[in-house]
Amino acid sequence: MNTIFLYSLAGLATLIHNWLGKFISSELGLHILELAIIGLSLIVFLVLLCFFLGYMERRVAAFMEIRLGPNRVGPQGTLQIVADTVKLLFKEGLTPNSSDKFLFNLAPFIMVIASMMAIAPIAFAKDFQIYDINIGVLYVSAISSISVLGILMAGWSSNNKYSLLGAMRSGAQIVSYELSVGLSLISIVILSGSLSLGDIVLSQQNGWWLFKGHIPILISFVIFIIASTAEINRAPFDLAEADQELTGGFNTEYSGMKFAMFLLSEYINLFIVSAIAATLFLGGWMPFHIGGGPSSFNHIMDLIPSSIWFLGKTFTIIFIIMWFRWTFPRLRVDQLLNLEWKYLLPISMVNIIIVTLIAIMGWHF
Amino acid sequence: MRGLIEENIITEDGEFILNIGPQHPSTHGVLHLKVWLDGETIKKIEPHIGYIHRSIEKMSERLSYRNFIFATSRMDYLAAHINNEACALTIEKALQIEATPRAKFVRTILSELTRLASHQLWWGCTGLDLGAVTPFFYAFREREAIMAIMEETCGARLTQNFMVPGGIMTDIHPNFQQRTKDILEQIKGKYKEYDDIMSGNVIFENRTKGVGYLSKEDAISFGVTGPTARASGVSCDIRKWNPYSAYDQVEFDEILSNGGDCYARYQVRMKEMRQSVSIIEQLIDNIPEGDFQEKTKMVIKLPKGEYYQRVETPRGELGVYLVSDGSANPYRIKYRSPNFSNLSVLPAIAKGYKIGDLVAIMATIDLVIPDIDR
Amino acid sequence: MAFLVNYFKTIYKTLKSLLTGMKVTGYYFTHLREIHTEEYPDNRATLTMFDRFRGEVIMPHNTDNEHRCTGCQACEIACPNGSIKIITKQELLPDGKKKKRIDTFVYHLDLCTMCNLCVVSCPSDAIVMGQNFEHSVYDKKTLKKILNNPDSKLMAGVE
């Protein structure tokens, strides 16, 4: 499969590694240079991704709302988001006089850093992963909960009553939904027997977990989508922002690039959550195979690069989460907690027990 | 703690003071609510009004009887026709004339179209306030078509000023009937969509059911009218109790509900839209031929006395109280606006609910702020 | 047991209602011809307003630069906002008689609310509502308009 190797991302990475190896002899120097390249390309990738997600969200919203959406700047409005970013760049980064200035300026960075860190163990393509940490699932769920600190900081330091209310709401929300997200991830971990995202993808060689026919996995997938939508503060769970109630919530006082960072982190979080769902439930970069189907079909599926598979699955889930946002009204704060503690958590707990039973009895395949 | 009290952030009892408005997305205008909060629970609300006071009542005193009507379009700008009609009816009452039958029918049709358009906007805004942005655009699609009818016949979309003493300003446009029938068909086809995306949605039901309970006694004692009161079981439809224009010639139901909560108010309005459609359907093909305007003098002078006329706007009872001293200008005009009374009940019914509920309650009371201040 | 049945019934109803809602938005997402947006500055060439649309007050002149305004000031009285001001002059007619004619018909567009009362009150149909609605200007002074053309005359037969 030499041809496929050429245009795969893993091939590209190896190529760069070998090429750099010619110039730099020391192992350490090579590593540092490569890390810098990875960091830089990651930031560029994420910013471009957010541009695309911003455009996608506006277009999806517009089409669902029988509007056209941005279609002026660039072909089909694709450059609109660039224009908006430039506008935000030139805007004054206002810091309110009576705010806690240090925390106020720190909060957006914490949000962005927390979301960027979580991208490390995600497998973008076959053999193409920044760091296949052996506790990948745990790492992602641990890192993503740091962002609540950023929201709380932003809300508190703004010295604005709306921001404070928004931050308090988000604190309660993220802490509770963390549980269901974790429990629904554990069900996959139990079945695949590994916390490493790379291994989890490999465990889906002969079928994605979602389509293997385990009902508990289906349930935990639904719970994961709901709970993670809540965890990344998107409608219908965007209580921390709640434009119509709290006029923007925790980011009421932010403007310019600091505000843009909140948007950036929101979109990175959206991507990560969808990527995790795609990796754990939909086989990550694994192509779609039909078990007993004709081998020619499976072969054609193999020809599609693994990165396309991964991004395709991720964007499908992103689209579903956007679809939620542009359809549903917002929940109330007590209903939000009701949903978690009365429905999602008990169901995921029972679900875990069933999954464990399946795993112990060896009923899965 | 002391510092916070001095800075007016919390009260002595540890209650958090939040100023919602005058610029807030869900007050639909410049309404200022001072809210005392315990956590997220509302302890007390104090509405502060007057930010958009334009002294329409005082201004009318120096305008002639023909001229002052236009200003009422700016009171409840979503029901401009009905406001204009109220003034025209008051003058007709004082002159002891009646509009021509043709004018009466057209007035009724236009009023019901206004009611439909207003309820459409309210439906969209309720969705918007509860966090669902999409229904707003679906509502505006139908509303735009109604606005096009207004534009074609009356010449303006929002502030029509089409009702004059004695009838209507000009005859209806030749396309009027066909267009109206088309929009009725369109709206009838969209009911299911409205129910699918909002009424049946479980999040929406949870947000509105049992929220903002208004008892029948409270509704009466606060002078609440319109769909808000009818959702609490108060029968107060002026169109039924005190028919004006052509309402005595049509069959329609007064929608009543005993729920008293936001969901009941929502359902009452949704059903009223269907009633409006049925009223228009009964009238649209039977508009009598004849003059569209009763002849009145160039300069209208009302006989000395006091006159009162009330009409049913989409938000409740609008009363026009007019005192005439026999000259060409009104001596005093007082509007009993439905929104002012409906707002007065907000502090009573929002107590004990959350901030999110306050938004839902305001949305279902359907406040139009310029009508409160006038 | 009844509790459990209710519990699962709630979940079923919830999911069903949410999916019904998503079906509506999904329908519009896939049916792009339902889009209602009017791309305004682009459709200027084809955009026609309704013939009764009230955009501004205009005074039509015929090809001989004649209008129908007799200067009776009925519109000035009818206007609730004082946006019309008629300045008259005495004009010497060919037969030697002096007659009142309009000198300038001043119309303040910035004060006008397009209520149509002036047009209705005009006994000689001299003014009508125009359909132009693009009135944005940089200088407020340009909103004060003089409706009668320079050197225009009263149309013969209008009294």
Side-chain angles (χ1 to χ4, degrees):
Chain A
M1 300 299 278
N2 212 0
T3 48
I4 291 169
F5 186 72
L6 267 182
Y7 60 73
S8 78
L9 286 171
L12 190 70
T14 326
L15 215 72
I16 293 172
H17 177 77
N18 291 341
W19 186 70
L20 285 174
K22 281 184 207 162
F23 302 103
I24 299 158
S25 49
S26 89
E27 186 90 345
L28 186 70
L30 189 63
H31 272 293
I32 290 172
L33 186 64
E34 281 180 0
L35 278 179
I37 292 173
I38 290 170
L40 203 66
S41 47
L42 191 67
I43 289 173
V44 170
F45 168 72
L46 287 178
V47 170
L48 290 178
L49 181 87
C50 290
F51 281 179
F52 179 74
L53 284 179
Y55 174 69
M56 177 177 163
E57 172 130 82
R58 290 163 75 164
R59 236 37 223 275
V60 166
F63 289 158
M64 285 182 176
E65 292 169 348
I66 50 173
R67 298 186 282 126
L68 279 171
N71 65 346
R72 295 283 140 160
V73 190
Q76 282 295 308
T78 36
L79 298 179
Q80 178 68 49
I81 204 90
V82 180
D84 291 350
T85 314
V86 171
K87 175 246 183 189
L88 282 173
L89 266 172
F90 283 108
K91 237 181 134 173
E92 185 188 359
L94 197 81
T95 309
N97 214 6
S98 55
S99 65
D100 188 330
K101 292 192 178 57
F102 177 67
L103 288 182
F104 185 82
N105 290 315
L106 184 66
F109 290 94
I110 290 203
M111 295 281 286
V112 173
I113 290 169
S115 11
M116 280 193 176
M117 273 164 79
I119 215 141
I122 288 170
F124 285 91
K126 193 176 185 205
D127 302 327
F128 189 77
Q129 207 167 350
I130 293 168
Y131 181 29
D132 190 6
I133 186 171
N134 59 355
I135 49 162
V137 176
L138 187 65
Y139 172 81
V140 171
S141 50
I143 290 294
S144 61
S145 48
I146 292 181
S147 66
V148 71
L149 278 182
I151 294 182
L152 279 173
M153 263 186 199
W156 170 254
S157 62
S158 299
N159 198 10
N160 177 317
K161 293 168 184 176
Y162 288 117
S163 305
L164 185 62
L165 278 171
M168 290 302 136
R169 281 178 174 194
S170 123
Q173 177 184 342
I174 294 182
V175 167
S176 8
Y177 276 83
E178 197 87 306
L179 292 168
S180 318
V181 171
L183 286 178
S184 51
L185 293 180
I186 283 176
S187 61
I188 293 291
V189 172
I190 290 170
L191 287 188
S192 61
S194 171
L195 279 167
S196 146
L197 289 176
D199 290 349
I200 290 175
V201 175
L202 288 176
S203 74
Q204 304 178 63
Q205 196 116 40
N206 24 350
W208 308 345
W209 281 122
L210 193 61
F211 297 146
K212 271 188 177 175
H214 301 299
I215 290 169
I217 297 296
L218 207 69
I219 293 170
S220 54
F221 177 70
V222 173
I223 289 178
F224 179 80
I225 294 288
I226 295 173
S228 53
T229 312
E231 211 197 331
I232 58 175
N233 267 326
R234 276 183 71 85
F237 306 101
D238 60 341
L239 287 151
E241 283 182 46
D243 296 349
Q244 292 86 0
E245 294 159 28
L246 302 179
T247 64
F250 64 92
N251 56 29
T252 306
E253 293 288 344
Y254 283 89
S255 64
M257 259 346 253
K258 279 181 260 175
F259 176 68
M261 278 188 182
F262 282 113
L263 275 182
L264 189 73
S265 93
E266 186 189 331
Y267 283 125
I268 297 175
N269 279 335
L270 176 62
F271 176 75
I272 287 168
V273 158
S274 312
I276 294 287
T279 310
L280 263 67
F281 296 95
L282 296 172
W285 47 263
M286 280 286 175
F288 183 70
H289 283 176
I290 297 174
S295 60
S296 57
F297 175 78
N298 289 353
H299 189 68
I300 290 168
M301 290 289 142
D302 280 336
L303 283 176
I304 300 171
S306 52
S307 49
I308 301 285
W309 275 110
F310 172 76
L311 287 176
K313 291 167 190 175
T314 310
F315 277 99
T316 311
I317 293 172
I318 289 177
F319 174 73
I320 291 174
I321 294 179
M322 285 182 178
W323 197 352
F324 288 161
R325 173 165 183 176
W326 300 110
T327 309
F328 301 140
R330 183 182 301 114
L331 277 82
R332 204 171 59 211
V333 64
D334 54 326
Q335 288 162 359
L336 182 90
L337 298 178
N338 265 354
L339 174 69
E340 164 64 17
W341 296 102
K342 285 192 184 161
Y343 291 93
L344 297 186
L345 193 65
I347 293 174
S348 13
M349 277 176 164
V350 173
N351 208 28
I352 286 273
I353 293 170
I354 298 171
V355 171
T356 320
L357 202 68
I358 290 174
I360 290 172
M361 304 303 260
W363 288 338
H364 69 290
F365 41 86
Chain B
M1 190 76 182
R2 273 265 50 100
L4 290 175
I5 293 171
E6 274 157 23
E7 283 175 40
N8 215 3
I9 292 171
I10 57 171
T11 62
E12 299 278 350
D13 309 328
E15 282 165 2
F16 191 64
I17 303 167
L18 186 69
N19 286 294
I20 295 183
Q23 286 155 2
H24 187 276
S26 60
T27 53
H28 299 286
V30 281
L31 175 66
H32 174 190
L33 298 173
K34 198 170 178 185
V35 183
W36 280 260
L37 293 172
D38 176 16
E40 282 229 2
T41 312
I42 293 162
K43 289 281 159 195
K44 190 178 147 194
I45 296 184
E46 217 179 79
H48 290 220
I49 59 170
Y51 289 91
I52 192 163
H53 179 66
R54 292 147 300 170
S55 87
I56 287 178
E57 288 172 5
K58 186 73 189 165
M59 199 167 79
S60 304
E61 288 172 16
R62 59 159 283 276
L63 294 172
S64 76
Y65 285 110
R66 269 181 204 285
N67 288 5
F68 83 94
I69 297 176
F70 90 100
T72 55
S73 305
R74 275 93 185 152
M75 275 166 27
D76 186 347
Y77 51 82
L78 295 178
H81 264 314
I82 305 180
N83 294 351
N84 297 161
E85 192 182 357
C87 297
L89 285 169
T90 319
I91 297 168
E92 283 160 20
K93 202 179 202 176
L95 288 176
Q96 290 177 334
I97 56 167
E98 274 200 23
T100 57
R102 187 177 177 79
K104 277 185 177 178
F105 269 59
V106 175
R107 276 181 180 183
T108 314
I109 293 168
L110 283 172
S111 296
E112 288 308 311
L113 280 175
T114 308
R115 194 181 314 277
L116 264 178
S118 169
H119 281 353
Q120 296 277 5
L121 184 81
W122 157 83
W123 181 77
C125 284
T126 303
L128 201 60
D129 284 351
L130 295 177
V133 185
T134 310
F136 187 71
F137 293 92
Y138 297 166
F140 259 72
R141 176 185 49 196
E142 273 78 61
R143 189 179 136 84
E144 273 308 295
I146 298 177
M147 289 288 120
I149 298 175
M150 305 277 188
E151 195 180 336
E152 193 174 39
T153 290
C154 319
R157 297 164 69 83
L158 212 56
T159 52
Q160 292 99 351
N161 189 32
F162 195 60
M163 313 286 185
V164 292
I168 50 179
M169 194 177 259
T170 46
D171 205 356
I172 52 170
H173 196 274
N175 293 346
F176 177 72
Q177 278 160 305
Q178 190 51 46
R179 257 180 200 278
T180 311
K181 278 183 226 167
D182 289 348
I183 178 67
L184 293 188
E185 283 310 307
Q186 191 188 340
I187 289 175
K188 275 196 276 183
K190 299 293 180 198
Y191 285 146
K192 192 182 174 304
E193 194 170 274
Y194 291 179
D195 287 342
D196 280 353
I197 198 164
M198 280 264 285
S199 325
N201 191 301
V202 73
I203 302 175
F204 176 78
E205 281 182 8
N206 281 333
R207 280 295 299 275
T208 49
K209 271 188 182 161
V211 170
Y213 179 72
L214 171 64
S215 67
K216 193 173 178 177
E217 292 72 31
D218 272 356
I220 293 169
S221 60
F222 278 96
V224 179
T225 46
T228 315
R230 289 200 281 280
S232 300
V234 184
S235 171
C236 61
D237 198 331
I238 312 292
R239 295 174 293 170
K240 267 268 185 254
W241 288 98
N242 219 340
Y244 53 94
S245 293
Y247 284 113
D248 48 353
Q249 297 170 42
V250 288
E251 290 281 321
F252 68 100
D253 296 332
E254 179 179 7
I255 309 294
L256 286 173
S257 164
N258 289 318
D261 56 358
C262 288
Y263 192 71
R265 292 194 275 274
Y266 175 86
Q267 287 296 353
V268 165
R269 283 205 173 82
M270 292 305 273
K271 286 178 187 154
E272 269 194 9
M273 273 158 70
R274 289 165 166 80
Q275 291 301 324
S276 293
V277 169
S278 118
I279 292 174
I280 301 169
E281 272 179 342
Q282 291 171 43
L283 294 174
I284 191 71
D285 282 324
N286 306 322
I287 301 177
E289 296 296 320
D291 285 343
F292 57 84
Q293 200 177 329
E294 195 70 41
K295 289 273 172 292
T296 43
K297 282 193 190 122
M298 178 79 184
V299 176
I300 300 174
K301 280 186 181 167
L302 296 194
K304 212 169 174 178
E306 297 174 11
Y307 308 98
Y308 187 73
Q309 172 68 39
R310 46 191 197 153
V311 294
E312 180 78 16
T313 77
R315 271 152 286 279
E317 176 188 330
L318 171 73
V320 179
Y321 174 67
L322 195 150
V323 184
S324 168
D325 57 356
S327 70
N329 302 342
Y331 179 75
R332 172 83 168 97
I333 284 184
K334 163 88 178 83
Y335 296 112
R336 183 249 182 246
S337 72
N339 288 298
F340 184 77
S341 312
N342 290 2
L343 173 71
S344 71
V345 84
L346 180 69
I349 62 174
K351 207 181 280 175
Y353 295 102
K354 306 262 185 301
I355 297 180
D357 294 331
L358 174 66
V359 173
I361 294 167
M362 277 201 287
T364 49
I365 290 182
D366 192 14
L367 295 173
V368 168
I369 312 303
D371 195 31
I372 297 171
D373 294 342
R374 299 189 293 284
Chain C
M1 200 59 212
F3 165 74
L4 269 184
V5 170
N6 264 339
Y7 186 82
F8 286 109
K9 226 182 224 168
T10 322
I11 293 172
Y12 170 74
K13 267 164 77 184
T14 305
L15 287 177
K16 199 182 148 201
S17 80
L18 295 183
L19 289 175
T20 331
M22 283 171 75
K23 213 176 101 189
V24 177
T25 40
Y27 171 82
Y28 285 111
F29 183 75
T30 47
H31 291 69
L32 295 187
R33 63 195 150 71
E34 301 257 2
I35 286 178
H36 268 61
T37 309
E38 276 189 37
E39 294 178 273
Y40 160 57
D42 290 349
N43 68 2
R44 241 197 198 136
T46 55
L47 183 72
T48 45
M49 303 305 290
F50 293 116
D51 51 355
R52 286 188 188 177
F53 177 75
R54 307 176 194 153
E56 60 179 338
V57 177
I58 49 173
M59 184 184 281
H61 288 65
N62 67 3
T63 44
D64 300 336
N65 202 14
E66 287 173 341
H67 56 75
R68 298 175 64 90
C69 182
T70 56
C72 69
Q73 294 179 321
C75 50
E76 195 177 328
I77 297 162
C79 183
N81 310 309
S83 38
I84 293 174
K85 181 86 192 128
I86 294 172
I87 300 165
T88 51
K89 61 181 177 191
Q90 295 294 326
E91 201 168 82
L92 202 64
L93 293 183
D95 56 359
K97 280 185 197 160
K98 272 192 171 178
K99 268 278 184 187
K100 193 172 87 172
R101 290 286 181 264
I102 59 163
D103 180 41
T104 40
F105 189 107
V106 185
Y107 169 53
H108 296 270
L109 181 57
D110 47 343
L111 295 178
C112 182
T113 60
M114 321 297 167
C115 66
N116 210 22
L117 286 171
C118 53
V119 178
V120 170
S121 70
C122 183
S124 50
D125 297 332
I127 46 175
V128 291
M129 278 286 177
Q131 273 74 51
N132 177 26
F133 60 94
E134 291 162 323
H135 295 309
S136 313
V137 285
Y138 285 104
D139 188 2
K140 197 182 163 192
K141 280 179 200 144
T142 51
L143 289 174
K144 180 184 164 187
K145 297 182 174 183
I146 293 168
L147 293 188
N148 54 331
N149 289 352
D151 301 328
S152 57
K153 287 266 176 308
L154 179 66
M155 209 176 279
V158 181
E159 208 48 57

